[in-house]
Amino acid sequence: MNDIKLAVLGSEGVGKSALIVRFLTRRFIGEYASSSECIYRKRMSFDGKQMNLELYDPCSQPCEGQFSLNEQMHWAEGFVVVYDISDRSSFITAQAIVHLIRELHLGVTKRDADSVVFLVGNKQDLCHVREVSREEGQRLAAEFKCQFYELSAAEHYQEVALMFSKVVRNTSLNGKAKDRRRPSGSKSMAKLINNVFGKRRKSVTREKRGKV
Ligand SMILES: Nc1nc2c(ncn2[C@@H]2O[C@H](COP(=O)(O)OP(=O)(O)OP(=O)(O)O)[C@@H](O)[C@H]2O)c(=O)[nH]1
Protein backbone atom coordinates (compact mmCIF):
# COMPACT_ATOMS: atom_id res chain seq x y z
CA MET A 1 0.00 0.00 0.00
CA ASN A 2 1.29 3.49 -0.84
CA ASP A 3 1.98 6.08 1.84
CA ILE A 4 1.56 9.70 0.85
CA LYS A 5 2.82 12.44 3.14
CA LEU A 6 1.58 15.96 2.55
CA ALA A 7 2.40 19.13 4.49
CA VAL A 8 -0.05 22.03 4.53
CA LEU A 9 1.99 25.17 5.17
CA GLY A 10 1.28 28.89 5.45
CA SER A 11 1.09 31.65 7.99
CA GLU A 12 -1.17 31.78 11.01
CA GLY A 13 -4.89 31.85 10.42
CA VAL A 14 -4.91 31.31 6.65
CA GLY A 15 -7.19 28.29 7.00
CA LYS A 16 -4.83 25.30 6.93
CA SER A 17 -6.83 23.31 9.49
CA ALA A 18 -10.11 24.40 7.90
CA LEU A 19 -8.98 23.06 4.51
CA ILE A 20 -7.78 19.74 5.92
CA VAL A 21 -10.89 19.22 8.05
CA ARG A 22 -13.11 20.17 5.11
CA PHE A 23 -11.36 17.60 2.92
CA LEU A 24 -11.43 14.81 5.49
CA THR A 25 -14.88 15.33 6.99
CA ARG A 26 -16.72 17.55 4.42
CA ARG A 27 -17.48 19.94 7.27
CA PHE A 28 -16.51 23.54 7.95
CA ILE A 29 -16.71 24.08 11.66
CA GLY A 30 -15.39 27.63 11.94
CA GLU A 31 -12.90 27.35 14.79
CA TYR A 32 -9.97 24.97 15.06
CA ALA A 33 -7.53 24.28 17.89
CA SER A 34 -4.21 25.83 16.96
CA SER A 35 -2.15 25.10 20.06
CA SER A 36 -0.63 21.88 18.76
CA GLU A 37 0.62 20.50 15.49
CA CYS A 38 -0.77 17.24 14.26
CA ILE A 39 -0.72 14.65 11.57
CA TYR A 40 -4.10 13.56 10.26
CA ARG A 41 -4.17 10.04 8.92
CA LYS A 42 -6.67 8.56 6.54
CA ARG A 43 -6.83 5.44 4.42
CA MET A 44 -8.21 6.29 1.02
CA SER A 45 -8.75 4.76 -2.36
CA PHE A 46 -7.37 6.68 -5.34
CA ASP A 47 -7.47 5.40 -8.90
CA GLY A 48 -8.37 1.97 -7.54
CA LYS A 49 -5.32 1.90 -5.24
CA GLN A 50 -5.39 1.93 -1.45
CA MET A 51 -3.30 4.69 0.10
CA ASN A 52 -2.39 5.78 3.58
CA LEU A 53 -2.62 9.52 3.48
CA GLU A 54 -0.86 11.60 6.13
CA LEU A 55 -1.55 15.32 6.31
CA TYR A 56 0.70 17.47 8.45
CA ASP A 57 -0.96 20.54 9.98
CA PRO A 58 1.66 22.71 11.71
CA CYS A 59 1.10 24.77 14.80
CA SER A 60 1.66 28.49 14.35
CA GLN A 61 2.58 28.93 18.01
CA PRO A 62 5.83 27.39 19.27
CA CYS A 63 4.97 24.03 20.83
CA GLU A 64 6.71 21.01 22.34
CA GLY A 65 8.54 18.69 19.93
CA GLN A 66 7.57 20.80 16.93
CA PHE A 67 8.80 19.95 13.41
CA SER A 68 11.11 22.67 12.18
CA LEU A 69 10.34 23.96 8.71
CA ASN A 70 13.37 22.10 7.48
CA GLU A 71 12.06 18.85 8.96
CA GLN A 72 8.61 19.48 7.52
CA MET A 73 10.19 19.83 4.12
CA HIS A 74 12.13 16.61 4.40
CA TRP A 75 9.21 14.67 5.83
CA ALA A 76 6.70 15.68 3.18
CA GLU A 77 6.46 14.39 -0.37
CA GLY A 78 3.94 17.00 -1.49
CA PHE A 79 3.11 20.50 -0.29
CA VAL A 80 0.02 22.67 -0.11
CA VAL A 81 1.12 26.25 0.55
CA VAL A 82 -1.82 28.36 1.66
CA TYR A 83 -2.36 32.11 1.86
CA ASP A 84 -5.44 34.19 2.63
CA ILE A 85 -6.50 36.33 -0.34
CA SER A 86 -7.61 39.06 2.10
CA ASP A 87 -4.20 39.23 3.80
CA ARG A 88 -1.20 40.38 1.77
CA SER A 89 1.32 39.46 4.44
CA SER A 90 0.20 35.82 4.22
CA PHE A 91 0.91 35.93 0.47
CA ILE A 92 4.43 37.18 1.14
CA THR A 93 4.96 34.33 3.60
CA ALA A 94 3.60 31.83 1.05
CA GLN A 95 6.04 33.23 -1.49
CA ALA A 96 8.96 32.71 0.92
CA ILE A 97 7.84 29.14 1.69
CA VAL A 98 7.49 28.18 -1.96
CA HIS A 99 10.87 29.70 -2.67
CA LEU A 100 12.45 27.70 0.16
CA ILE A 101 10.86 24.44 -0.94
CA ARG A 102 12.25 24.89 -4.43
CA GLU A 103 15.63 26.04 -3.19
CA LEU A 104 15.89 23.21 -0.68
CA HIS A 105 15.05 20.54 -3.18
CA LEU A 106 17.13 21.99 -5.99
CA GLY A 107 20.12 23.02 -3.96
CA VAL A 108 20.35 20.12 -1.57
CA THR A 109 18.96 16.98 -3.11
CA LYS A 110 19.51 17.99 -6.76
CA ARG A 111 16.81 15.52 -7.76
CA ASP A 112 13.52 16.84 -6.54
CA ALA A 113 13.19 20.02 -8.52
CA ASP A 114 9.75 18.88 -9.56
CA SER A 115 8.32 18.00 -6.16
CA VAL A 116 4.62 18.61 -6.00
CA VAL A 117 3.71 22.05 -4.70
CA PHE A 118 0.20 23.49 -4.83
CA LEU A 119 -0.29 27.18 -4.10
CA VAL A 120 -3.74 27.87 -2.64
CA GLY A 121 -5.39 31.25 -2.14
CA ASN A 122 -8.00 30.52 0.54
CA LYS A 123 -11.01 32.58 1.74
CA GLN A 124 -12.26 33.42 -1.73
CA ASP A 125 -15.60 34.23 -0.11
CA LEU A 126 -13.85 37.34 1.26
CA CYS A 127 -13.15 38.72 -2.23
CA HIS A 128 -14.84 42.04 -1.30
CA VAL A 129 -11.82 42.67 1.00
CA ARG A 130 -9.29 41.05 -1.30
CA GLU A 131 -5.65 42.18 -0.99
CA VAL A 132 -4.09 39.68 -3.38
CA SER A 133 -5.34 39.46 -6.96
CA ARG A 134 -5.89 36.13 -8.66
CA GLU A 135 -3.28 37.13 -11.27
CA GLU A 136 -0.62 37.62 -8.60
CA GLY A 137 -1.31 34.11 -7.31
CA GLN A 138 -1.16 32.69 -10.82
CA ARG A 139 2.12 34.52 -11.54
CA LEU A 140 3.76 33.22 -8.37
CA ALA A 141 2.59 29.69 -9.12
CA ALA A 142 3.93 29.88 -12.68
CA GLU A 143 7.27 31.25 -11.49
CA PHE A 144 7.79 28.34 -9.09
CA LYS A 145 6.11 25.62 -11.17
CA CYS A 146 3.21 25.15 -8.77
CA GLN A 147 -0.40 24.29 -9.45
CA PHE A 148 -2.65 27.17 -8.46
CA TYR A 149 -6.07 27.19 -6.81
CA GLU A 150 -8.22 29.93 -5.40
CA LEU A 151 -11.03 28.63 -3.23
CA SER A 152 -12.91 28.91 0.03
CA ALA A 153 -12.75 26.26 2.74
CA ALA A 154 -15.90 27.84 4.11
CA GLU A 155 -17.97 27.57 0.94
CA HIS A 156 -16.41 25.16 -1.54
CA TYR A 157 -16.30 21.52 -0.51
CA GLN A 158 -16.00 20.21 -4.09
CA GLU A 159 -13.07 22.47 -4.98
CA VAL A 160 -11.25 21.63 -1.76
CA ALA A 161 -11.73 17.90 -2.36
CA LEU A 162 -10.63 18.22 -5.97
CA MET A 163 -7.53 20.16 -4.99
CA PHE A 164 -6.43 17.60 -2.38
CA SER A 165 -7.20 14.71 -4.72
CA LYS A 166 -4.93 16.27 -7.32
CA VAL A 167 -2.12 16.77 -4.82
CA VAL A 168 -2.39 13.13 -3.78
CA ARG A 169 -2.50 11.90 -7.37
CA ASN A 170 0.41 14.09 -8.53
CA THR A 171 2.50 13.14 -5.50
CA SER A 172 1.82 9.50 -6.12
CA LEU A 173 2.69 9.84 -9.80
CA ASN A 174 5.84 11.68 -8.86
CA GLY A 175 7.06 8.38 -7.46
CA LYS A 176 7.13 9.54 -3.89
CA ALA A 177 5.75 6.46 -2.18
CA LYS A 178 9.14 5.62 -0.84
CA ASP A 179 11.30 6.51 2.12
CA ARG A 180 13.17 9.71 1.77
CA ARG A 181 16.74 9.83 2.94
CA ARG A 182 17.86 12.95 4.74
CA PRO A 183 20.27 14.73 2.42
CA SER A 184 23.70 15.63 3.71
CA GLY A 185 23.41 19.38 3.09
CA SER A 186 20.34 19.82 5.25
CA LYS A 187 22.11 21.64 8.06
CA SER A 188 23.07 24.68 6.06
CA MET A 189 19.57 24.87 4.61
CA ALA A 190 18.13 24.68 8.13
CA LYS A 191 20.19 27.73 8.96
CA LEU A 192 18.84 29.61 5.97
CA ILE A 193 15.27 28.69 6.86
CA ASN A 194 15.76 29.70 10.45
CA ASN A 195 17.22 33.01 9.37
CA VAL A 196 14.17 33.74 7.24
CA PHE A 197 11.56 32.59 9.74
CA GLY A 198 13.41 33.16 13.00
CA LYS A 199 12.38 29.77 14.36
CA ARG A 200 14.37 27.58 16.72
CA ARG A 201 15.22 24.18 15.34
CA LYS A 202 14.08 21.29 17.52
CA SER A 203 14.26 17.61 16.90
CA VAL A 204 11.09 15.64 16.36
CA THR A 205 10.20 13.72 19.48
CA ARG A 206 6.71 12.60 18.72
CA GLU A 207 3.86 12.83 16.31
CA LYS A 208 0.56 13.83 17.79
CA ARG A 209 -2.56 12.07 16.67
CA GLY A 210 -4.98 13.85 14.39
CA LYS A 211 -7.82 16.04 15.56
CA VAL A 212 -10.52 14.30 13.49
N1 LIG B 1 -14.30 33.54 5.61
C1 LIG B 1 -13.53 32.45 5.68
N2 LIG B 1 -12.94 32.13 6.84
C2 LIG B 1 -12.17 31.02 6.87
C3 LIG B 1 -11.96 30.20 5.74
N3 LIG B 1 -11.13 29.20 6.08
C4 LIG B 1 -10.83 29.38 7.38
N4 LIG B 1 -11.45 30.47 7.85
C5 LIG B 1 -11.38 31.02 9.20
O1 LIG B 1 -10.06 31.47 9.44
C6 LIG B 1 -9.71 31.25 10.80
C7 LIG B 1 -8.42 30.47 10.88
O2 LIG B 1 -8.65 29.18 10.35
P1 LIG B 1 -7.70 27.95 10.70
O3 LIG B 1 -8.12 26.80 9.88
O4 LIG B 1 -7.61 27.76 12.18
O5 LIG B 1 -6.30 28.54 10.17
P2 LIG B 1 -4.87 27.89 10.37
O6 LIG B 1 -4.08 28.32 9.20
O7 LIG B 1 -4.95 26.44 10.63
O8 LIG B 1 -4.39 28.67 11.67
P3 LIG B 1 -3.22 28.28 12.73
O9 LIG B 1 -3.48 26.88 13.19
O10 LIG B 1 -3.36 29.31 13.80
O11 LIG B 1 -1.96 28.41 11.95
C8 LIG B 1 -10.89 30.53 11.47
O12 LIG B 1 -11.67 31.49 12.14
C9 LIG B 1 -11.66 29.96 10.28
O13 LIG B 1 -13.04 29.85 10.53
C10 LIG B 1 -12.62 30.56 4.52
O14 LIG B 1 -12.52 29.93 3.46
N5 LIG B 1 -13.38 31.70 4.56
Side-chain angles (χ1 to χ4, degrees), residues 52-76:
N52 286 320
L53 176 61
E54 295 188 42
L55 282 163
Y56 173 69
D57 183 2
C59 173
S60 302
Q61 316 297 327
C63 60
E64 192 61 27
Q66 195 172 13
F67 267 19
S68 70
L69 192 59
N70 186 50
E71 285 162 332
Q72 292 165 22
M73 289 190 187
H74 282 101
W75 176 85

CSV table of all heavy atoms in Angstrom, one decimal, residues 52-76:
chain,number,residue,atom,x,y,z
A,52,ASN,N,-2.4,5.2,2.2
A,52,ASN,CA,-2.4,5.8,3.6
A,52,ASN,C,-2.0,7.2,3.4
A,52,ASN,O,-0.8,7.5,3.1
A,52,ASN,CB,-1.4,5.1,4.5
A,52,ASN,CG,-1.9,3.7,4.9
A,52,ASN,OD1,-3.1,3.6,5.2
A,52,ASN,ND2,-1.0,2.7,4.9
A,53,LEU,N,-2.9,8.1,3.6
A,53,LEU,CA,-2.6,9.5,3.5
A,53,LEU,C,-2.3,10.1,4.8
A,53,LEU,O,-3.0,9.9,5.8
A,53,LEU,CB,-3.8,10.2,2.9
A,53,LEU,CG,-3.8,11.7,2.7
A,53,LEU,CD1,-2.6,12.1,1.8
A,53,LEU,CD2,-5.1,12.3,2.2
A,54,GLU,N,-1.2,10.9,4.9
A,54,GLU,CA,-0.9,11.6,6.1
A,54,GLU,C,-0.8,13.1,5.8
A,54,GLU,O,-0.1,13.5,4.8
A,54,GLU,CB,0.5,11.1,6.7
A,54,GLU,CG,0.4,9.7,7.2
A,54,GLU,CD,1.7,9.3,7.9
A,54,GLU,OE1,2.2,10.1,8.7
A,54,GLU,OE2,2.2,8.2,7.6
A,55,LEU,N,-1.5,13.9,6.5
A,55,LEU,CA,-1.5,15.3,6.3
A,55,LEU,C,-1.0,16.1,7.5
A,55,LEU,O,-1.6,16.0,8.6
A,55,LEU,CB,-3.0,15.8,6.1
A,55,LEU,CG,-3.6,15.5,4.7
A,55,LEU,CD1,-5.1,15.6,4.8
A,55,LEU,CD2,-3.1,16.5,3.7
A,56,TYR,N,0.1,16.8,7.3
A,56,TYR,CA,0.7,17.5,8.5
A,56,TYR,C,0.1,18.9,8.5
A,56,TYR,O,0.2,19.7,7.6
A,56,TYR,CB,2.2,17.5,8.3
A,56,TYR,CG,2.9,18.4,9.3
A,56,TYR,CD1,3.0,18.0,10.6
A,56,TYR,CD2,3.5,19.6,8.9
A,56,TYR,CE1,3.6,18.8,11.6
A,56,TYR,CE2,4.1,20.4,9.9
A,56,TYR,CZ,4.2,19.9,11.2
A,56,TYR,OH,4.8,20.7,12.1
A,57,ASP,N,-0.4,19.2,9.7
A,57,ASP,CA,-1.0,20.5,10.0
A,57,ASP,C,-0.1,21.2,11.1
A,57,ASP,O,-0.2,20.8,12.2
A,57,ASP,CB,-2.4,20.4,10.5
A,57,ASP,CG,-3.1,21.7,10.7
A,57,ASP,OD1,-2.5,22.8,10.5
A,57,ASP,OD2,-4.3,21.7,11.2
A,58,PRO,N,0.8,22.1,10.7
A,58,PRO,CA,1.7,22.7,11.7
A,58,PRO,C,0.9,23.6,12.7
A,58,PRO,O,-0.2,24.1,12.4
A,58,PRO,CB,2.7,23.5,10.9
A,58,PRO,CG,1.9,23.8,9.6
A,58,PRO,CD,0.9,22.8,9.4
A,59,CYS,N,1.6,23.9,13.8
A,59,CYS,CA,1.1,24.8,14.8
A,59,CYS,C,1.8,26.1,14.6
A,59,CYS,O,3.0,26.2,14.5
A,59,CYS,CB,1.4,24.2,16.2
A,59,CYS,SG,1.0,25.2,17.5
A,60,SER,N,1.0,27.2,14.6
A,60,SER,CA,1.7,28.5,14.3
A,60,SER,C,2.4,29.0,15.6
A,60,SER,O,3.3,29.7,15.5
A,60,SER,CB,0.6,29.5,13.9
A,60,SER,OG,0.0,29.1,12.8
A,61,GLN,N,1.9,28.6,16.8
A,61,GLN,CA,2.6,28.9,18.0
A,61,GLN,C,3.7,27.9,18.3
A,61,GLN,O,3.5,26.7,18.0
A,61,GLN,CB,1.6,28.9,19.2
A,61,GLN,CG,0.2,29.5,19.0
A,61,GLN,CD,0.3,31.0,18.7
A,61,GLN,OE1,1.2,31.6,19.2
A,61,GLN,NE2,-0.5,31.5,17.8
A,62,PRO,N,4.8,28.4,18.9
A,62,PRO,CA,5.8,27.4,19.3
A,62,PRO,C,5.2,26.3,20.2
A,62,PRO,O,4.5,26.7,21.1
A,62,PRO,CB,6.9,28.2,20.0
A,62,PRO,CG,6.6,29.6,19.6
A,62,PRO,CD,5.1,29.7,19.3
A,63,CYS,N,5.5,25.1,19.9
A,63,CYS,CA,5.0,24.0,20.8
A,63,CYS,C,6.0,22.9,21.0
A,63,CYS,O,6.9,22.8,20.1
A,63,CYS,CB,3.6,23.5,20.4
A,63,CYS,SG,3.6,22.8,18.7
A,64,GLU,N,5.8,22.1,22.0
A,64,GLU,CA,6.7,21.0,22.3
A,64,GLU,C,6.9,20.0,21.2
A,64,GLU,O,6.0,19.6,20.5
A,64,GLU,CB,6.1,20.2,23.5
A,64,GLU,CG,7.0,19.3,24.2
A,64,GLU,CD,8.2,20.0,24.8
A,64,GLU,OE1,8.2,21.2,25.2
A,64,GLU,OE2,9.3,19.3,25.0
A,65,GLY,N,8.2,19.7,20.9
A,65,GLY,CA,8.5,18.7,19.9
A,65,GLY,C,8.2,19.0,18.5
A,65,GLY,O,8.0,18.2,17.7
A,66,GLN,N,8.1,20.3,18.2
A,66,GLN,CA,7.6,20.8,16.9
A,66,GLN,C,8.5,20.5,15.8
A,66,GLN,O,9.7,20.6,15.9
A,66,GLN,CB,7.4,22.3,17.0
A,66,GLN,CG,6.6,23.0,16.0
A,66,GLN,CD,6.4,24.4,16.3
A,66,GLN,OE1,7.1,25.0,17.2
A,66,GLN,NE2,5.5,25.1,15.6
A,67,PHE,N,8.0,20.1,14.6
A,67,PHE,CA,8.8,20.0,13.4
A,67,PHE,C,9.3,21.3,13.1
A,67,PHE,O,8.6,22.3,13.1
A,67,PHE,CB,7.9,19.6,12.2
A,67,PHE,CG,7.7,18.1,11.9
A,67,PHE,CD1,8.0,17.2,12.9
A,67,PHE,CD2,7.2,17.7,10.7
A,67,PHE,CE1,7.8,15.8,12.5
A,67,PHE,CE2,7.0,16.4,10.4
A,67,PHE,CZ,7.3,15.5,11.3
A,68,SER,N,10.6,21.4,12.7
A,68,SER,CA,11.1,22.7,12.2
A,68,SER,C,10.7,22.7,10.7
A,68,SER,O,10.3,21.7,10.1
A,68,SER,CB,12.6,22.7,12.3
A,68,SER,OG,13.2,21.8,11.4
A,69,LEU,N,10.7,23.9,10.1
A,69,LEU,CA,10.3,24.0,8.7
A,69,LEU,C,11.2,23.0,7.8
A,69,LEU,O,10.7,22.4,6.9
A,69,LEU,CB,10.4,25.4,8.3
A,69,LEU,CG,9.8,25.7,6.9
A,69,LEU,CD1,8.3,25.4,6.9
A,69,LEU,CD2,10.0,27.2,6.6
A,70,ASN,N,12.5,23.0,8.2
A,70,ASN,CA,13.4,22.1,7.5
A,70,ASN,C,12.9,20.6,7.6
A,70,ASN,O,12.9,19.9,6.6
A,70,ASN,CB,14.8,22.3,8.1
A,70,ASN,CG,15.8,21.5,7.3
A,70,ASN,OD1,15.9,21.6,6.1
A,70,ASN,ND2,16.6,20.7,8.0
A,71,GLU,N,12.5,20.2,8.8
A,71,GLU,CA,12.1,18.9,9.0
A,71,GLU,C,10.7,18.6,8.2
A,71,GLU,O,10.5,17.5,7.6
A,71,GLU,CB,11.9,18.5,10.5
A,71,GLU,CG,13.3,18.3,11.1
A,71,GLU,CD,13.2,18.5,12.6
A,71,GLU,OE1,12.4,19.2,13.1
A,71,GLU,OE2,14.1,17.9,13.3
A,72,GLN,N,9.9,19.6,8.3
A,72,GLN,CA,8.6,19.5,7.5
A,72,GLN,C,8.9,19.2,6.1
A,72,GLN,O,8.3,18.4,5.4
A,72,GLN,CB,7.8,20.8,7.6
A,72,GLN,CG,7.3,21.1,9.0
A,72,GLN,CD,6.8,22.5,9.1
A,72,GLN,OE1,6.5,23.2,8.1
A,72,GLN,NE2,6.7,23.0,10.3
A,73,MET,N,9.9,19.9,5.5
A,73,MET,CA,10.2,19.8,4.1
A,73,MET,C,10.8,18.5,3.8
A,73,MET,O,10.7,18.0,2.7
A,73,MET,CB,11.1,21.0,3.7
A,73,MET,CG,10.3,22.3,3.7
A,73,MET,SD,11.2,23.6,2.9
A,73,MET,CE,10.0,24.9,3.3
A,74,HIS,N,11.6,17.9,4.7
A,74,HIS,CA,12.1,16.6,4.4
A,74,HIS,C,11.1,15.5,4.6
A,74,HIS,O,11.2,14.4,4.0
A,74,HIS,CB,13.4,16.4,5.3
A,74,HIS,CG,14.6,17.1,4.7
A,74,HIS,ND1,15.0,18.3,5.2
A,74,HIS,CD2,15.3,16.8,3.6
A,74,HIS,CE1,16.0,18.7,4.5
A,74,HIS,NE2,16.2,17.8,3.5
A,75,TRP,N,10.2,15.7,5.5
A,75,TRP,CA,9.2,14.7,5.8
A,75,TRP,C,8.2,14.5,4.7
A,75,TRP,O,7.9,13.4,4.3
A,75,TRP,CB,8.5,15.1,7.1
A,75,TRP,CG,7.3,14.1,7.5
A,75,TRP,CD1,7.4,13.0,8.2
A,75,TRP,CD2,6.0,14.3,7.2
A,75,TRP,NE1,6.2,12.4,8.3
A,75,TRP,CE2,5.3,13.2,7.7
A,75,TRP,CE3,5.3,15.3,6.5
A,75,TRP,CZ2,3.9,13.1,7.6
A,75,TRP,CZ3,3.9,15.2,6.3
A,75,TRP,CH2,3.2,14.1,6.9
A,76,ALA,N,7.8,15.7,4.1
A,76,ALA,CA,6.7,15.7,3.2
A,76,ALA,C,7.2,15.3,1.8
A,76,ALA,O,8.3,15.6,1.4
A,76,ALA,CB,6.0,17.0,3.2
